[in-house]
Amino acid sequence: MRDDVRVRRDWIDVRHEYLQADGTWKAGGCAKPGWCRECNRAGERQPMAFIARAWEPSVDAERAARLIIAAHLYIPVKLADDDAVLRATDFRRLWIAYHLEILRGQPIADADALAARTIGELIALVSVKEAA
């Protein structure tokens, strides 16, 4: 990612921010249907519609986490196994972590989400936080 662009995550959403000439950061329109210029440059897309199933009461926690990850990565849920390599931009990784936080009600550090190399490592972050 360029020096004049950063990813910022808070309790509302995940977005790209752009360094302005006066030294301040301005948020991009990542949550809007047209996306921001960095999302368009990186080819970001909204998660697949089946992400909504993760919040159904009958879905167990691990299955819900796999649904969220699969919806973001545009892969079938059956391919979201623990050993699968997590191929995603920093923005996408933080967006997945954001949704996992909503699901579990437990915070996940940005550094931990960015360091995860496999789907299993990302799911383990939720499990570790829950057990603590």
Side-chain angles (χ1 to χ4, degrees), residues 35 42-51 64-97 99-100 113 116-123:
W35 293 97
E44 296 291 354
R45 304 179 288 179
Q46 292 285 341
M48 294 180 77
F50 67 79
I51 193 171
R66 289 186 195 287
L67 281 165
I68 289 170
I69 293 168
H72 273 283
L73 299 180
Y74 277 73
I75 61 174
V77 178
K78 66 182 177 184
L79 294 180
D81 61 351
D82 287 347
D83 297 332
V85 176
L86 186 61
R87 291 187 177 96
T89 62
D90 288 352
F91 179 81
R92 182 65 60 172
R93 289 169 183 266
L94 293 176
W95 201 6
I96 291 169
H99 280 129
L100 290 174
R117 295 290 162 233
T118 64
I119 290 174
E121 289 176 11
L122 195 54
I123 291 173

Side-chain angles (χ1 to χ4, degrees), residues 24 38-39 47 56-58 88 90 125:
T24 61
E38 190 66 20
C39 288
E56 293 176 358
S58 61
D90 288 352
L125 292 175

Side-chain angles (χ1 to χ4, degrees), residues 2-132:
R2 302 184 322 260
D3 291 336
D4 63 335
V5 179
R6 70 180 183 185
V7 178
R8 177 148 183 197
R9 178 169 70 118
D10 59 22
W11 64 276
I12 298 174
D13 64 3
V14 180
R15 63 190 168 278
H16 287 101
E17 292 184 334
Y18 299 93
L19 184 61
Q20 305 300 301
D22 63 1
T24 61
W25 291 89
K26 182 177 179 185
C30 301
K32 299 176 185 173
W35 293 97
C36 72
R37 66 180 181 257
E38 190 66 20
C39 288
N40 286 323
R41 189 174 82 61
E44 296 291 354
R45 304 179 288 179
Q46 292 285 341
M48 294 180 77
F50 67 79
I51 193 171
R53 291 196 325 240
W55 283 273
E56 293 176 358
S58 61
V59 177
D60 68 89
E62 185 177 336
R63 174 91 172 140
R66 289 186 195 287
L67 281 165
I68 289 170
I69 293 168
H72 273 283
L73 299 180
Y74 277 73
I75 61 174
V77 178
K78 66 182 177 184
L79 294 180
D81 61 351
D82 287 347
D83 297 332
V85 176
L86 186 61
R87 291 187 177 96
T89 62
D90 288 352
F91 179 81
R92 182 65 60 172
R93 289 169 183 266
L94 293 176
W95 201 6
I96 291 169
Y98 171 76
H99 280 129
L100 290 174
E101 282 184 359
I102 292 171
L103 176 72
R104 304 301 295 150
Q106 299 287 332
I108 298 173
D110 289 354
D112 292 341
L114 295 173
R117 295 290 162 233
T118 64
I119 290 174
E121 289 176 11
L122 195 54
I123 291 173
L125 292 175
V126 177
S127 302
V128 168
K129 298 295 182 185
E130 180 183 320

